[in-house]
């Protein structure tokens, strides 16, 4: 067997089977993941400002408003585009991904706990 067929049978196939067997639970987890990722995306400017106020970035703690938001998001994104980082877009992606992963973990755990009680 090749690498891709091994990956399919070890990783992808069990996930596909779990989704087929539990479509309602899968929908709940996906919904929570999308909701928390969307909330994190909407909150990214505020999170960027908080990151700047906490001291991240070149002028961390000295900026306010949109400048603080921009600097904080750029710091979370690995720095400005000019310095080789991903800039504000990278910071927004980090914040959104962190929110989505948190939502998936919490909802997945909640589904697993309630499923074990049903069995």
């Amino acid at each position: 067997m090749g690498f891709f067929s091994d990956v399919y049978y070890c990783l992808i196939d069990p996930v596909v089977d779990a989704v087929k067997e539990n479509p309602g639970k899968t929908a709940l987890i996906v919904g929570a993941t999308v909701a928390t990722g969307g909330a994190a995306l909407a909150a990214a400017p505020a999170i960027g400002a908080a990151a700047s106020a906490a001291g991240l970035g070149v002028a961390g703690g000295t900026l306010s408003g949109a400048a603080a938001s921009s600097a904080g998001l750029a710091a979370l994104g690995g720095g400005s585009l000019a310095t080789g980082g991903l800039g504000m877009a990278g910071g927004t992606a980090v914040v959104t991904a962190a929110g989505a992963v948190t939502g998936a973990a919490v909802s997945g755990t909640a589904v697993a706990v309630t499923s074990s009680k049903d069995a």
Side-chain angles (χ1 to χ4, degrees), residues 36-56 65 68-77 91-100 102:
T36 55
L41 177 63
I47 294 169
S52 178
L56 290 178
S69 177
S70 298
L73 286 173
L76 292 172
T92 301
V94 167
V95 170
T96 303
T102 301

Side-chain angles (χ1 to χ4, degrees), residues 29-43 95-107:
I29 293 171
V30 169
T33 302
V34 169
T36 55
L41 177 63
V95 170
T96 303
V101 167
T102 301
V106 170
S107 62

